[in-house]
Amino acid sequence: MYKYSLLAGQATGNNLSGKIEFAMKCGINDIELQDNFLNLEIAAPALVNQYRNLLITTGARLLVYEAGSELNQKKAIEVFFAQAMQLSIKMVKIHPEQLTEDALAYIAKTAAVYGVDIVIENKADELARSSDLEAVLNKYDSFGLIVNPQEYAVLRRHPFFNEFYKSKLKSKVRIIRVADAYFADGSPAMPGKGDAEIKELTSMMLSRSYDGYFSIIVKATDDLDSVTKSIEMFRNLLIEM
């Protein structure tokens, strides 16, 4: 009924096989990789083929792959997206402030050719407000959005009332992070227990026929039990809606 992805942090292992295994123990097949984990712009084709075979064998999918400043060069962009297509990566997350205007334009063009979606994400120190996100999306209309409620709570901003209730960004949302936090000190909270308005934000998006993903973040201090507990608490919030 609802689609989930797992943002596979360091606690999920140091290789793709370990991350897939962790995600599947949580009942999730769609994985998000951080920090150019596979070095796609320089990875040997044979290694990429091994990754592809692993994904086929396990039934896992790479939903989001986070890239960085390596995409400032045309050749790197071309190799990166060719490799991404081989792995059937659905979305590539970029950091616009790390990239030149020429690189952004070429990324948008190349991603379209390979059928890969580009997404950006709000962070407390990067694209921190809805107005910042709109500035990028007004230039690159094809880009989508990952909403991280925790990052708004860190700034003591209400994701629902302050940032999205009147925002024009709702149609751009592809992923909502299941990430809560307390206003008092910005520390993480279990879903629905903090001040990040996860329930309100989710309810608003579902009322608009939201068909995107709910992303479960695995933090460095997490283990399988804490992640599955977080998933259970979020599902209980859905039941209450």
Side-chain angles (χ1 to χ4, degrees), residues 36 39-42 65-68 70-71 75-85 89 92-93 116:
N36 192 20
N39 296 310
L40 286 186
E41 84 287 1
I42 58 172
Y65 188 97
E66 181 184 31
E70 70 276 359
L71 295 189
K75 182 61 177 178
I77 292 169
E78 291 166 359
V79 173
F80 179 95
F81 280 99
Q83 309 273 48
M85 185 189 69
I89 292 172
V92 170
K93 175 186 164 183
V116 178

Side-chain angles (χ1 to χ4, degrees), residues 91-143:
M91 306 179 206
V92 170
K93 175 186 164 183
I94 62 169
H95 300 265
E97 84 290 347
Q98 296 180 7
L99 304 166
T100 66
E101 289 296 326
D102 286 347
L104 284 167
Y106 199 63
I107 286 168
K109 177 181 177 181
T110 308
V113 169
Y114 284 105
V116 178
D117 294 332
I118 301 297
V119 290
I120 59 176
E121 179 176 359
N122 66 290
K123 292 287 186 180
D125 58 352
E126 171 193 335
L127 301 174
R129 304 283 292 272
S130 291
S131 56
D132 301 324
L133 298 167
E134 287 176 355
V136 176
L137 296 175
N138 285 339
K139 284 186 179 180
Y140 302 98
D141 185 60
S142 62
F143 290 5

